[in-house]
Amino acid sequence: MKIIKICLAATLLLCSSMTSALTLHEAKQQGLVGETLSGYIAPVTQTPEAIALTEKINQARKDKYKEVAAQNNVSVSDIASMTGKKLIRRAEPGEYVRGINGQWLKKEGVK
């Protein structure tokens, strides 16, 4: 339970706006980047801005995953994977997520 709470806190921190021309939220809403099961984002479209944002966000996430993993004596990949699943579940309608088959899927709203 402690790990889940820590992951939730880390997720909220990671999802906050970054100080760049394009925020993570904006990039997701525009369909430029999407969440993956690995716990990292990936560019949906290969624009320089999407690629740069992806690198910046993923480095911040990796650093945070390492910190949380060390505090809880678990692997970084376990923390990343658990967080990735949560971020995919929380993706908003219209945002892209990468499925287990590697294909991008656009999240649909509740009907």
Side-chain angles (χ1 to χ4, degrees):
M1 191 63 159
K2 181 179 177 183
I3 292 175
I4 293 171
K5 288 180 183 177
I6 292 170
C7 280
L8 290 174
T11 300
L12 291 174
L13 175 67
L14 294 171
C15 290
S16 64
S17 296
M18 302 302 254
T19 55
S20 68
L22 183 68
T23 67
L24 177 57
H25 179 73
E26 290 169 340
K28 286 181 176 183
Q29 290 294 307
Q30 294 174 23
L32 299 175
V33 301
E35 293 291 346
T36 69
L37 289 168
S38 69
Y40 299 96
I41 61 170
V44 176
T45 59
Q46 299 294 319
T47 66
E49 195 168 24
I51 292 168
L53 182 65
T54 297
E55 291 171 359
K56 182 178 181 178
I57 297 293
N58 285 344
Q59 185 58 55
R61 285 185 179 187
K62 185 176 185 179
D63 293 344
K64 192 64 177 177
Y65 294 158
K66 285 180 181 178
E67 180 183 321
V68 172
Q71 291 172 351
N72 292 281
N73 200 29
V74 296
S75 73
V76 173
S77 63
D78 285 345
I79 296 295
S81 176
M82 186 170 30
T83 304
K85 291 174 187 171
K86 289 178 184 181
L87 290 171
I88 283 178
R89 280 195 303 269
R90 287 195 223 151
E92 295 179 15
E95 293 181 354
Y96 284 91
V97 296
R98 185 177 282 162
I100 57 174
N101 63 359
Q103 300 296 311
W104 287 111
L105 305 166
K106 196 172 198 178
K107 288 280 285 230
E108 295 184 16
V110 178
K111 295 180 180 179

